[in-house]
Amino acid sequence: MSNKFYENPVIKWIEYRLPIFSFIDESVGSGYPTPKNLNYWWNFGSLAGIVLTIMIVTGIVLAMSYTPHVDYAFESVERIMRDVNYGWLMRYIHMNGGSMFFLLVYIHMFRGLYYGSYKEPRELLWIIGVFIILAMMATAFMGYVLPWGQQSFWAATVITNLFSAVPLIGDSIVTWLWGGFSVDNPTLNRFFSFHYLLPFVIFALVFVHLWALHVHKSNNPIGVDIKGPQDTIPFHPYYTMKDLYGLGVFMIFFMFFVFFAPNFFAEPDNYIKANPLVTPTHIVPEWYFLPAYAVLRAVPDIWFISAKLGGVIAMFGFTLVLLLLPWLDRSPVRSARFRPIYRQFFWVFFIDCIILGWVGANTPDAVFHGIPFLWIGRAATVYYFAHFLILIPLISILEKPKMPPQSISAAVTGTASKGAE
Amino acid sequence: MRKTIKATLLVMAMSLTFAAGPVIAAEGIKLPARNWSFTGMFGTFDRGSQQRGLQVYLEVCASCHSLRLLAYRNLAGIGFSEDQIKAIAAEAEVTDGPNEEGEMFDRPARPSDRFASPFPNDNAARASNNGALPPDLSLMVKARKGGADYLHALLTGYKEEPPAGFTLGDGMNYNTYFAGHQIAMAPPIADDAVEYADGTKATAKQIATDISTFLAWTAEPELEERKRLGIKVLLFLIVLTAMLYAVKRQIWKDLH
Ligand code: HEM
């Protein structure tokens, strides 16, 4: 820890025994050197952290009035909406916060893909990020079940049923997950328990994520390492202020939905209480699961692997393939700014993800200009995996990257590699 | 810098245009879009229409549909006085108990009671409706694509004769906007189905508008408070963000 000098005797007393003030200073204060050239795409990590905090706070408040029982869950949520003071506000923040959280984290991830933030020496940082998104998905899925509406119930039924595809022990796994022979009260209870637990696991993962970040500091838009103090500025006040401004813009966006379109991301069906005897005409997941849902449904029977099992494997592979990325991309240059070929394929990949989301929102037998969605989904799924497993390795070997600037300060001042500013 | 201002403005502009709200089609059928007093960022419920809607519910729909999530006391939210609420509640009977002898007993409802349901349970409701279940109406407007537009279209969308080639089931009615077009509910409203206490002419359209407005409120009783608070929150955030931007610029100014 630094030997920063504190005047205040109380702070001094504490600092001597627990160096918490220098810890804060070195994490988000003036003692943390940050590349001076970060653009606004670097705002999204801190925004996601703030939304995680908002989710935990509103979630704890909701849990005070929520009843995890099949006979009361739906009504208890409506009580929160009607009878708890500002309960509607807490619920709408939590409900829309889920969507905002995914939106921010997806942007955060695409940022990483574009600027090569997953490359040496940030592989572990990236891998921890993949675990965070997996934990987020589990949390959001179980949270969606809690209000016990029609979509809640049927989403839980469809998704848990997927595990029956596991050979031999599939059915036993499903019974074990349910705590019975269908999605019922035990299922709701355990989902609530996990939904309360997992955000704190995410919190711990975020802590480790930041720990790894602080070892080698942030990557930056030109992807060139920090060469010395002339390349950096202290986190505080520069980035604290920039993050605060970004937070303001984001909050305007977020609060617009909370107050004026609170059900924009919601399915009307979920305002009908769960009924195991009535299957909804269409079961659609929340928008942030649509690409994964499209992948799940794209896989046909292949040899001895059933379509269901294949779909489950592909759906997990959809996220897990990101774990391999640091070793699939062999290009020494990080930022796509200096990788003309990769940059184009990045955007094709981005569009591919949008297409997958669009396919996920439609039934497989629906058609678009004569083409069944099933086939669009299959093509987009194949491309998704080909991007990581074939295109990225090939491009990274064949492409001739442009020469990045010598250093961050050289890039900022536009001068040659003199360094000093 | 210029770019960031533009982005900020874009977000705000987007927010405003969203407020207009799209016209949603149910099952591929276009719903006629109507002008509701409660849509838009500054929308509020039309009090007169809401109160007439309550009358329609009590006089027409309440014989089949429950409104379980609503308590009589909630009617204060649409402008009824305490005495009026007491009088409205007292018209309904609810079961209470057990009393000191251990018996359940009926008594007139009080403002703190939930709206009395027409049937003791779903089976009883089905038994009186040819096997079809009249759903609870509390959240109906939120629970259908198209919301109030759908409800209005449904109530005014009956046809006496189904189109050629369409066979109706026994006791079923043809409705343009209901999924599958066969609905077990007979047309519940017609011109002059109610006589409005405030003298408004009770055309079928008017009745449909009033009950839809009323049920939009039962689905989202917080709507007016939400929008009122929302305007303040957004104004506050816009001013705050502008100031944060100015400070950020000031701090970064000496950097490059
Ligand atoms: C990682 C952060 C979290 C995410 C992504 C998340 C996501 C969700 C989602 C999507 C719903 C369904 C919303 C709805 O349809 O109403 C939900 C409901 C709920 N969540 Fe969370 N949540 C998070 C954290 C928490 C925490 C920390 C708690 C409590 C300690 C909590 C408690 C609840 C409760 C009680 C509900 C049911 C009430 C309701 O439906 O509004 N959540 N959550």
Side-chain angles (χ1 to χ4, degrees):
Chain A
M1 290 289 140
S2 80
N3 28 16
K4 201 171 154 104
F5 182 76
Y6 292 100
E7 292 272 359
N8 186 315
V10 179
I11 291 186
K12 215 167 167 169
W13 189 92
I14 297 173
E15 175 73 14
Y16 182 65
R17 287 152 182 86
L18 178 73
I20 186 165
F21 295 102
S22 48
F23 177 74
I24 293 172
D25 187 60
E26 283 159 24
S27 306
V28 290
S30 53
Y32 180 55
T34 316
K36 57 176 18 169
N37 61 337
L38 301 186
N39 57 30
Y40 277 99
W41 298 115
W42 266 261
N43 277 50
F44 287 84
S46 76
L47 286 178
I50 291 165
V51 172
L52 173 62
T53 314
I54 293 176
M55 292 307 281
I56 290 182
V57 172
T58 52
I60 290 174
V61 175
L62 287 173
M64 292 175 191
S65 309
Y66 170 78
T67 310
H69 187 289
V70 290
D71 292 337
Y72 305 109
F74 187 86
E75 278 80 5
S76 76
V77 171
E78 279 304 319
R79 277 204 102 93
I80 293 172
M81 293 295 290
R82 289 155 195 270
D83 294 337
V84 174
N85 288 335
Y86 292 104
W88 57 267
L89 183 56
M90 290 301 120
R91 175 163 191 248
Y92 279 158
I93 291 177
H94 197 77
M95 222 169 109
N96 288 280
S99 281
M100 293 299 139
F101 200 14
F102 277 91
L103 183 67
L104 295 172
V105 171
Y106 283 155
I107 294 174
H108 187 66
M109 292 167 75
F110 277 113
R111 187 281 316 264
L113 290 176
Y114 189 84
Y115 293 109
S117 302
Y118 48 85
K119 291 188 190 184
E120 205 262 349
R122 298 188 182 81
E123 300 96 323
L124 272 181
L125 177 58
W126 173 259
I127 287 171
I128 296 160
V130 177
F131 287 124
I132 291 176
I133 189 83
L134 285 171
M136 278 173 62
M137 287 173 164
T139 308
F141 164 63
M142 288 189 273
Y144 193 55
V145 176
L146 301 185
W148 209 244
Q150 273 291 67
Q151 293 293 325
S152 300
F153 178 86
W154 290 98
T157 303
V158 170
I159 300 300
T160 47
N161 249 315
L162 292 176
F163 290 90
S164 69
V166 177
L168 303 174
I169 52 167
D171 287 333
S172 314
I173 293 180
V174 175
T175 308
W176 177 71
L177 287 175
W178 284 341
F181 298 101
S182 65
V183 173
D184 208 334
N185 204 45
T187 327
L188 178 58
N189 270 286
R190 60 190 58 191
F191 277 24
F192 181 49
S193 179
F194 279 119
H195 185 70
Y196 207 134
L197 169 68
L198 280 180
F200 297 93
V201 173
I202 296 175
F203 206 88
L205 285 169
V206 169
F207 189 83
V208 184
H209 192 68
L210 291 180
W211 186 7
L213 172 74
H214 282 77
V215 178
H216 292 285
K217 318 277 184 292
S218 291
N219 180 30
N220 64 82
I222 60 170
V224 173
D225 284 334
I226 296 170
K227 301 258 163 68
Q230 71 282 3
D231 289 342
T232 65
I233 45 178
F235 191 83
H236 180 73
Y238 294 104
Y239 286 107
T240 39
M241 204 52 231
K242 193 173 175 181
D243 280 350
L244 271 178
Y245 165 58
L247 177 65
V249 175
F250 166 70
M251 286 307 270
I252 293 172
F253 181 75
F254 181 9
M255 289 302 127
F256 170 77
F257 283 102
V258 167
F259 286 103
F260 298 101
N263 290 298
F264 182 80
F265 299 104
E267 268 297 303
D269 251 18
N270 227 26
Y271 285 107
I272 304 171
K273 187 176 171 171
N275 184 347
L277 301 176
V278 179
T279 321
T281 40
H282 61 157
I283 302 171
V284 275
E286 298 259 82
W287 69 267
Y288 39 80
F289 289 134
L290 290 175
Y293 195 50
V295 170
L296 169 75
R297 296 186 302 180
V299 182
D301 287 318
I302 303 171
W303 198 25
F304 64 89
I305 301 174
S306 68
K308 200 169 174 184
L309 180 58
V312 174
I313 294 171
M315 187 176 71
F316 279 101
F318 176 77
T319 312
L320 294 178
V321 69
L322 293 170
L323 294 174
L324 304 177
L325 183 58
W327 294 277
L328 292 169
D329 185 348
R330 317 206 56 87
S331 173
V333 174
R334 289 200 191 101
S335 173
R337 274 196 194 168
F338 308 105
R339 302 186 56 193
I341 311 290
Y342 174 72
R343 188 168 64 217
Q344 288 170 22
F345 279 94
F346 168 87
W347 288 111
V348 178
F349 173 73
F350 177 76
I351 292 166
D352 188 58
C353 291
I354 305 282
I355 291 176
L356 280 172
W358 170 60
V359 171
N362 285 281
T363 51
D365 45 346
V367 287
F368 176 73
H369 288 297
I371 315 165
F373 272 103
L374 180 63
W375 286 100
I376 304 176
R378 284 186 177 161
T381 301
V382 169
Y383 187 85
Y384 180 91
F385 286 102
H387 175 81
F388 287 108
L389 300 174
I390 302 171
L391 293 173
I392 283 197
L394 275 184
I395 294 168
S396 67
I397 294 165
L398 300 177
E399 173 187 57
K400 195 171 154 7
K402 288 194 259 173
M403 193 59 182
Q406 287 287 310
S407 71
I408 294 170
S409 58
V412 170
T413 53
T415 57
S417 55
K418 294 269 165 40
E421 213 189 30
Chain B
M1 296 299 146
R2 185 73 44 79
K3 252 196 333 211
T4 51
I5 300 180
K6 264 197 209 151
T8 315
L9 288 177
L10 189 74
V11 170
M12 293 177 193
M14 243 173 71
S15 309
L16 287 171
T17 44
F18 262 130
V23 185
I24 310 156
E27 311 259 317
I29 307 157
K30 270 264 176 297
L31 292 171
R34 305 187 59 82
N35 260 331
W36 299 103
S37 57
F38 48 86
T39 51
M41 286 181 89
F42 300 97
T44 52
F45 291 113
D46 173 343
R47 283 280 172 275
S49 185
Q50 269 177 311
Q51 299 196 352
R52 289 193 296 275
L54 171 69
Q55 188 188 342
V56 176
Y57 170 75
L58 290 173
E59 288 179 18
V60 184
C61 324
S63 56
C64 299
H65 292 278
S66 59
L67 200 58
R68 270 191 288 264
L69 296 177
L70 215 69
Y72 292 102
R73 66 181 159 80
N74 296 139
L75 293 175
I78 61 173
F80 285 103
S81 69
E82 219 169 300
D83 290 331
Q84 283 171 310
I85 293 173
K86 271 192 192 137
I88 294 168
E91 307 246 320
E93 289 261 299
V94 294
T95 307
D96 200 350
N99 63 14
E100 276 148 22
E101 282 83 50
E103 310 282 344
M104 302 302 281
F105 60 93
D106 285 348
R107 61 162 173 78
R110 302 186 195 116
S112 57
D113 286 315
R114 299 290 185 106
F115 269 58
S117 299
F119 302 104
N121 53 56
D122 284 0
N123 285 0
R126 280 183 201 280
S128 316
N129 283 286
N130 270 327
L133 178 69
D136 185 87
L137 293 182
S138 318
L139 280 168
M140 185 54 72
V141 167
K142 250 171 145 178
R144 292 289 182 279
K145 279 209 164 72
D149 282 339
Y150 169 73
L151 189 59
H152 191 282
L154 178 85
L155 293 174
T156 54
Y158 283 92
K159 290 241 164 66
E160 297 219 349
E161 287 298 319
F166 190 99
T167 30
L168 268 183
D170 226 17
M172 298 299 259
N173 308 275
Y174 187 87
N175 191 302
T176 316
Y177 300 100
F178 189 66
H181 304 303
Q182 292 205 55
I183 183 162
M185 169 169 72
I189 57 172
D191 288 342
D192 299 315
V194 290
E195 195 179 320
Y196 280 134
D198 66 0
T200 306
K201 196 164 162 18
T203 59
K205 270 215 158 99
Q206 184 64 43
I207 297 175
T209 303
D210 294 340
I211 185 70
S212 303
T213 306
F214 174 68
L215 291 178
W217 170 74
T218 64
E220 298 192 292
E222 87 297 343
L223 181 139
E224 291 181 350
E225 188 194 1
R226 168 158 60 75
K227 291 186 178 177
R228 236 181 296 126
L229 183 58
I231 296 291
K232 286 186 209 151
V233 168
L234 282 195
L235 282 178
F236 168 78
L237 282 173
I238 288 169
V239 172
L240 177 73
T241 305
M243 293 192 325
L244 288 173
Y245 180 64
V247 177
K248 188 256 166 195
R249 254 180 82 125
Q250 188 61 30
I251 289 180
W252 280 69
K253 195 173 62 185
D254 52 342
L255 209 57
H256 317 298

